Amino acid sequence: MNILKTLIPARQVYLRRLYSSGSKLVETVQDNDTGISIISMARAPVNSLNTNLLNSLRTSLLEAQSNRSKGVVLTSSLPTIFSAGLDIMEMQTEDKQKLTEFWHTLQDTWLTLYSLSIPVATAINGASPAGGCLLAITTEYRVFVEGKHTLGLNETQLGMCAPKWFKDPYISLLGYRQAELALLRGLLFKPEKALQLGLVDELAKDKADAIEKCKKYILSYDNIPDVGRTATKLEIRSDLIKYMKENKEEDLKNFINNVTLPQVQASIKLYIKYLKQKQ
């Protein structure tokens, strides 16, 4: 019950667990009053997105959709981190088979989240660089908890290029010029700046407040027929969905060619060394 009390204030703890992954990497609860599923990533210490976490997240999203949830709030069970991004350990290799499995899993999880038929919003309760930012901008609505943490796509800082399906949603939110500068410099934004740029839709005082605001967004569609809303969402997003389906293998090839470059592998090793020194 500790997870439930963290997610929702005590006065609103009318939650029933629907399902959770066997590995406990993702926890899902449902608010009985609203029918909204709250999906929390729970891979300590920083929700690094490895193959197992991504698979668990995709399964949870598909189950929420098939269970006819009214919508999904995506968040983290960790107190100050939403997601530190892609697991760097998954990329510290030149083994193409391992890289292929990892990237295909990321592609499939992104495609599921991007094309989910039900409303989905993100309660960003802490740091969210790179892949963590990708998850947030893939959803329809973002609420960022106030604090010193940051959000953004900073792939260039590791010598990497964010692929099209990272960049296009980012550009659509920030506008071309601001997104270009942010992507080139690998900038990360604090909550107030993220709101100013349009990277997030609202700020919240804490995680519980963020979840309530996400639920309010989902409930705003109560009087909109699902069939019309879903068709419109998928039509708006159809170009990028089509791109991913038609260019999945080319995108994989580009990723492998980039990540296996000696200078990129060297940057990854230096970053891992830096992380170990911080522990």
Side-chain angles (χ1 to χ4, degrees), residues 89-275:
M89 301 305 294
E90 295 270 24
M91 295 183 284
Q92 189 195 17
T93 181
E94 296 182 11
D95 185 328
K96 293 186 178 181
Q97 183 175 348
K98 290 182 179 179
L99 290 170
T100 296
E101 180 185 6
F102 169 63
W103 201 250
H104 274 168
T105 303
L106 177 63
Q107 290 172 326
D108 291 342
T109 303
W110 175 84
L111 190 58
T112 295
L113 183 60
Y114 193 65
S115 59
L116 207 68
S117 63
I118 56 179
V120 55
T122 309
I124 311 166
N125 61 298
S128 189
C133 178
L134 172 68
L135 292 181
I137 64 176
T138 301
T139 66
E140 301 170 24
Y141 200 81
R142 287 153 295 283
V143 182
F144 201 5
V145 173
E146 296 171 343
K148 296 180 180 180
H149 37 257
T150 55
L151 172 71
L153 296 178
N154 63 336
E155 280 75 8
T156 55
Q157 293 185 20
L158 282 177
M160 300 179 69
C161 174
K164 176 180 174 65
W165 44 286
F166 284 53
K167 292 182 290 190
D168 279 12
Y170 206 59
I171 292 169
S172 72
L173 292 170
L174 296 183
Y176 184 88
R177 183 56 179 157
Q178 291 300 322
E180 182 179 43
L181 292 173
L183 288 164
L184 290 172
R185 295 169 176 167
L187 298 179
L188 296 172
F189 302 106
K190 291 183 179 179
E192 292 77 12
K193 187 64 175 180
L195 179 64
Q196 178 187 338
L197 291 172
L199 186 53
V200 299
D201 299 288
E202 291 188 77
L203 300 184
K205 63 179 183 295
D206 54 32
K207 179 178 169 181
D209 184 35
I211 290 174
E212 288 304 307
K213 288 179 176 178
C214 286
K215 286 161 60 178
K216 183 178 179 181
Y217 166 77
I218 293 168
L219 294 174
S220 72
Y221 293 103
D222 274 357
N223 295 322
I224 305 295
D226 290 343
V227 62
R229 184 193 184 282
T230 299
T232 301
K233 174 181 177 177
L234 296 181
E235 175 61 27
I236 289 171
R237 298 183 170 212
S238 61
D239 287 348
L240 203 50
I241 292 170
K242 180 181 179 182
Y243 169 84
M244 174 60 81
K245 290 179 177 179
E246 293 181 351
N247 295 277
K248 188 176 183 181
E249 296 309 313
E250 183 66 23
D251 179 72
L252 169 66
K253 179 181 177 182
N254 291 338
F255 165 69
I256 292 177
N257 287 342
N258 183 221
V259 80
T260 56
L261 288 171
Q263 58 267 41
V264 174
Q265 284 293 309
S267 294
I268 290 172
K269 289 177 182 177
L270 282 174
Y271 185 61
I272 291 172
K273 182 178 179 181
Y274 165 74
L275 292 177

Side-chain angles (χ1 to χ4, degrees), residues 1-19:
M1 291 299 293
N2 289 336
I3 293 175
L4 305 186
K5 291 177 181 178
T6 301
L7 285 171
I8 303 294
R11 69 182 182 278
Q12 296 183 23
V13 181
Y14 293 102
L15 300 178
R16 172 174 56 89
R17 179 172 296 175
L18 290 180
Y19 49 81

